[in-house]
Amino acid sequence: MSDPIRSENLLYLTDEQLRQGIEAMYFAYRGFTADPDRILESMAYGRAHHRAIHFINRAPGTTVTNLLDILGVTKQSLNRVLRTLIEDGLVESRVGTSDRRERNLFLTEEGTALEHRLSDAQRARMRTAFREAGPEDVAGFRRVLEAMMEGEMKRQYLSLRESGK
Amino acid sequence: MSDPIRSENLLYLTDEQLRQGIEAMYFAYRGFTADPDRILESMAYGRAHHRAIHFINRAPGTTVTNLLDILGVTKQSLNRVLRTLIEDGLVESRVGTSDRRERNLFLTEEGTALEHRLSDAQRARMRTAFREAGPEDVAGFRRVLEAMMEGEMKRQYLSLRESGK
DNA sequence: TTGGAGTGTCAACAAAGCTGACGTATTGTG
DNA sequence: CACAATACGTCAGCTTTGTTGACACTCCAA
């Protein structure tokens, strides 16, 4: 009021704007997971399997501990998911070469096939959204999301980002 | 390659960019829910309670059916959550005035107090992220998220957006 | 008056998270 | 070499939050 320029600049920080941002996150995340969920529910898998498959594909040969760090769940919880994926022949667990206590995880051909189906669906929605919005909006989207991450997760995101070239 | 201008414009639509967008959504959503989750876990409540409280606060007097539509769960699932909130005196369920089959849901004073704690925490993170990014990025963030929603959810988001003034 | 909509509740179940405890390799260290 | 620590797997049990299916009650409208 006393400083129209400054208050106009900060209009996007009103409680109402923030609440809309919160609700946008909520509804968008549901859209974000909807397509893979539909594919997964036809099989005996859930979102937890998707996450495991995604990050094993993303970093082939990753260890169980590393996956635990990325996913932020307990080893018991991850193990249950991993076991079914290994039993079903989607994931292969090889004894580590340098450290034989470790297990290196890889997707099999079948696992890769499912990963493709899932990520194709998810990318298609992301692509549509990105195209609808445009490059500037996409950059903003990414910057806000990155600023929203917690420290440890942001580090993991950035390191994946790096390794992805 | 054959058309450098066009390919540069569409660089944000490469599979690598889309994958980064997907991972950004994943990690950011975990940050997004982290603060309320920490508050809730000290009580006997979970994310489902938070969602119910949020949308009852957002649209006081809303009916159970309306809430079911917004949250996209079964009435049995919602009812379990709602019952504990009513028993604990956070939510009040009043018989509808025009249609006495309906129940109009309101937050009590205590419920409003919890809503404030939760949304304050969530807004604080959103505010920090928005401030770090800037108004242009925030607009892009919102546009991409809106484009990512499914039809029905987008309609609900927009109608909440309207009613919020 | 009767059918259907809105609501609540019971039972049973599943996915996916959690803690705690224990066992087994394997590795690193004193 | 002996021993502690690490990486992994697993058993048991619990919680939250979702699901179906079935049933009852109230109330509105045709």
Side-chain angles (χ1 to χ4, degrees), chain A:
Chain A
M1 321 266 181
S2 55
D3 187 343
I5 294 168
R6 182 142 183 271
S7 57
E8 184 150 22
N9 280 344
L10 295 178
L11 204 65
Y12 70 109
L13 289 175
T14 62
D15 278 2
E16 172 61 19
Q17 293 292 314
L18 295 168
R19 199 188 44 66
Q20 283 181 22
I22 288 168
E23 288 175 357
M25 262 314 261
Y26 170 69
F27 287 111
Y29 194 78
R30 283 176 56 184
F32 172 69
T33 55
D35 302 317
D37 281 357
R38 271 187 283 267
I39 294 173
L40 290 159
E41 83 171 342
S42 60
M43 317 175 182
Y45 299 137
R47 234 176 256 182
H49 300 83
H50 183 191
R51 290 195 283 260
I53 288 173
H54 176 95
F55 287 110
I56 293 172
N57 175 258
R58 189 67 192 71
T62 187
T63 63
V64 173
T65 302
N66 185 34
L67 209 49
L68 285 176
D69 284 346
I70 291 175
L71 297 176
V73 297
T74 59
K75 67 176 174 174
Q76 293 90 330
S77 198
L78 175 59
N79 198 252
R80 184 171 32 199
V81 165
L82 230 39
R83 191 170 16 183
T84 70
L85 290 175
I86 291 169
E87 277 168 8
D88 295 352
L90 301 187
V91 168
E92 195 190 346
S93 169
R94 295 187 209 148
V95 172
T97 48
S98 59
D99 186 338
R100 292 163 50 85
R101 288 171 306 182
E102 296 182 342
R103 298 291 180 275
N104 296 118
L105 302 170
F106 301 89
L107 292 187
T108 63
E109 248 183 65
E110 206 185 336
T112 305
L114 177 56
E115 196 283 330
H116 280 348
R117 278 188 67 197
L118 294 169
S119 67
D120 280 356
Q122 206 159 29
R123 270 202 307 269
R125 180 182 294 265
M126 192 67 71
R127 189 181 295 114
T128 304
F130 277 15
R131 205 193 307 269
E132 226 173 276
E136 247 106 279
D137 287 346
V138 169
F141 161 79
R142 283 261 298 272
R143 269 192 286 267
V144 172
L145 289 189
E146 283 168 22
M148 212 182 296
M149 296 175 195
E150 301 228 287
E152 175 58 20
M153 288 184 265
K154 182 161 185 176
R155 274 194 30 242
Q156 279 162 355
Y157 165 78
L158 290 175
S159 107
L160 281 171
R161 209 162 165 308
E162 276 312 301
S163 71
K165 179 207 174 270

Side-chain angles (χ1 to χ4, degrees), chain B residues 58-111:
Chain B
R58 190 68 192 69
T62 187
T63 63
V64 172
T65 301
N66 184 34
L67 210 50
L68 286 176
D69 284 346
I70 290 176
L71 297 176
V73 297
T74 58
K75 67 177 172 176
Q76 292 89 333
S77 196
L78 174 60
N79 198 254
R80 183 170 32 200
V81 165
L82 231 38
R83 192 174 3 175
T84 70
L85 291 174
I86 292 169
E87 278 169 9
D88 294 352
L90 302 187
V91 168
E92 196 190 345
S93 169
R94 294 187 209 147
V95 172
T97 48
S98 59
D99 185 339
R100 291 160 50 83
R101 288 169 305 181
E102 295 182 342
R103 299 290 181 278
N104 297 117
L105 302 170
F106 301 88
L107 292 186
T108 63
E109 249 183 64
E110 207 185 333

